[in-house]
Amino acid sequence: MTDADQVRNSVVEEALGKLDLDTKARLLAGQDMWSLPAVPEIGLQSLVMSDGPIGVRGVRWTADDPSIALPSPTALAAAWDPALARRAGRLLAQEARRKGVHVLLAPTVNLHRSPLGGRHFECYSEDPYLTGVVGAGYVNGVQDGGVGTTVKHFVGNDAETERFTADSVIAPRPLRELYLAPFEAIVANAHPWGIMTAYNQVNGTTMTEHRYLVNEVLRGEWGFDGYNVSDWMAARSTTGDIEGGLDVAMPGPQTVYGPALAEAVRAGEVPESAVDEAVRNVLRLAARVGILEGAPAVVTEAPAPVDGQALARELAARGFVLVRNEDGALPLDAAGRTVALIGAAARDARVLGGGSATVFPERIVSPLDGLTAALPDGALTYSVGADPSDELAPADKGFELRAVCRDASGALLGEGSLPTGQVQWIGNDLPAGATYETMASIEVTGTFLPRESGEHAFGTRGLGAFTLAVGGRTLWEGVQEMGNEADPFEAFFGAPSERARIDLTEGEPVEVSLTFHVPDMTALPLKAIMFSLLHLGPRRDAEELIAEAVAAARAADTAVVVVATTDRVESEGFDRKDLDLPGRQDDLVRAVAAANPNTVVVVNAGSPVELPWREDVAAVLLTWFPGQEGGAALADVLLGHAEPGGRLPTTWPARFADAPVTEVVPTEGRLEYREGLFIGYRAYEARSITPAFPFGHGLGYTDWAYESLEVTATTARVRVTNTGTRPGREVVQVYLAPVADPVERPASWLAGFAGVEAGPGESVEAEIALPARAFEIWDEEARGWQRIGGTYEVRASHSHGDTRLTATLDLG
């Protein structure tokens, strides 16, 4: 413990001693959506929290205060570089400080147990070691900037279906060796200042009340000394939560803590010492972030400023994974050559996964934007080819919108800009001047400049009464009732509903208006307004669009097809049903590839999708959800100004039927993790299934020769040489494979890795630590870790499916 730690602890104890029971109980309950109350008498300011993993939204869901939008967490993990993750964290700390945020509600370190997991894009990897290393880098970076983190969702929150109530039934070994492992590693290596407990149960006990996992494991065994905050609306029992080690129940003002907690103490149901311990953890966090008077902040001088746009661009390129590159199709030779860019997803880019991770960047560079800027005039053509969605979506391209709030008399209360037609206000997100008590209506209003002539569809999403007008004419008035949505997150939004169609002319602006009639929300514990103005452009014949794309491809030297998922395929609040690309995108790729052998496919998805045409195209590049600078980074990589630096953080199956773990729907409330230790590449190897692209796979723009491997019980040294003609970066991966294993374990697993860089002809040595835990299992009978001796084959690999060198290690 440092001198500063001792001072902070002393100030915390002194402050705690000045608080009465009611104030202590109030301090553990959110005062609103994002903050805890200030207590001026002890010099405590209000503690402010904010989502999310790829950008800092702040306390209001508004585009008036834009945020840097980094690539998705899966993209960050694909870089296999904890130092890069640390740089991302420092940028987010800079953003948090700019917005007055003390604690970031991130990172998400649940595992990619199944490719169907709807929130896959917000998590890092299928592998606990890689997840822990990248997560520790991220946490260290955020906290380098003096901003707290909350590592989430502790634990077993690996699917979205029935996530508020599902019981994740996990045996002790996989619980320890897989699902708890990233949390344990981050606590050990990054000392996070916070943990967020999940909605779900684990083995019959709700996580916010899980005394064993929180008090005994997290705090007792691992020594975690941060604060434990509930996922939003996860806290359900006053006595169960405080006894289960939950410090803060969010959001407020109505929670199971506050007055209810004080009353439970007075009734003898809860010892006041439990409340004191929770308050101590909150005050310690406040001291660390510098908002408790007399206590020195952990960081008194912020790190050097970070250029957010430049880092977002670098991160995107570093996370792109080139999984196929026949005959050096990439990088493209741009000199005098033509490119046909194809796909609706190339023009209207999805740069983030959505849900609670949504932020509003100041700008978005689409693939079309990026390649238009990078290529000479006349070198690029664009055609839609196929749209991944034929559903209405929040009004976006061509719309300039504002939200106008009025009272019952029609008087203006407040207004704010909207980046799309989606209104998503929770708690105090409202425009200045507006309140839930005084608002009678919210009008989404502005202009629309059509990009195509023809019949345009307009609609709504959300619950309640609406009036829709286009061109000054009311097209629909009505009420949307609640449907059969199972998840509250999805129910709030409702399903997209078409309300009217109208003929519009390209380039001729038209006024649009959607008025939402605000209901009485007095009785609601959490006040929120969520609705959307939706739009869908003219639908052209799919075969005609594909034919146009084929003609463009045939006329160009190279065809670049961008395919993607949509927010109706993967997002927070629901799981996926299959791994198909939506719409006619597979047909488009096949047709273009048949017309032009130099077809490059860019796949913009947050999680695995089937690529049935992968052997028929020249190159396949995975870009995840690449953040606001994704299109610029794509141009950098396609044209060879940057190397695609990524390696797969999760296995991509050839077909959905090959995926070893697909069960994400609970049966009678229970989600059984029957696969035990065998998820991801461990399961593919156990079942002798060859995936489309193995864990760790990724191609650069040069070649590497693996020349030597030396191992000890603690270290592997691998010497590699860049045998290509360009400088590059290689991720050297080390896997352990026990020989004649005396216990049940996977056939092999990742033990360590290191990134190395070298110029053409240059050799470099990677020194990779082999952690003691890599040789251990959780002994269920002894309830402890047991080192397994014997002989191991140590594999130096380019990917899990591409071993380059082996050595034998005998642990005795």
Side-chain angles (χ1 to χ4, degrees), residues 458-470 472-481 495-502 513-517 531-534:
F458 290 85
T460 63
R461 188 179 183 192
L463 307 177
F466 296 93
T467 303
L468 171 67
V470 178
R473 182 160 60 94
T474 297
L475 299 182
W476 180 77
E477 282 188 277
V479 177
Q480 177 65 50
E481 305 288 351
S497 299
E498 182 178 317
R499 302 303 186 187
R501 296 190 181 195
I502 185 171
S513 168
L514 177 66
T515 301
F516 173 71
H517 304 282
F531 71 92
S532 300
L533 167 65
L534 305 181

Side-chain angles (χ1 to χ4, degrees), residues 264-276:
V265 172
R266 292 190 175 102
E269 298 167 359
V270 172
E272 190 166 356
S273 60
V275 176
D276 288 346

Side-chain angles (χ1 to χ4, degrees), residues 227-298:
Y227 92 129
N228 173 16
V229 62
S230 71
D231 203 343
W232 266 226
M233 299 179 290
R236 297 158 207 163
S237 166
T238 300
T239 57
D241 287 334
I242 196 71
E243 291 174 355
L246 182 71
D247 298 324
V248 173
M250 289 296 289
Q254 296 182 43
T255 81
V256 297
Y257 284 175
L261 181 57
E263 180 57 36
V265 172
R266 292 190 175 102
E269 298 167 359
V270 172
E272 190 166 356
S273 60
V275 176
D276 288 346
E277 188 57 34
V279 172
R280 186 175 286 116
N281 292 330
V282 172
L283 293 178
R284 187 183 299 116
L285 172 64
R288 284 170 168 163
V289 300
I291 59 169
L292 180 61
E293 189 176 305
V298 171

Side-chain angles (χ1 to χ4, degrees), residues 189 383 606:
N189 298 317
S383 52

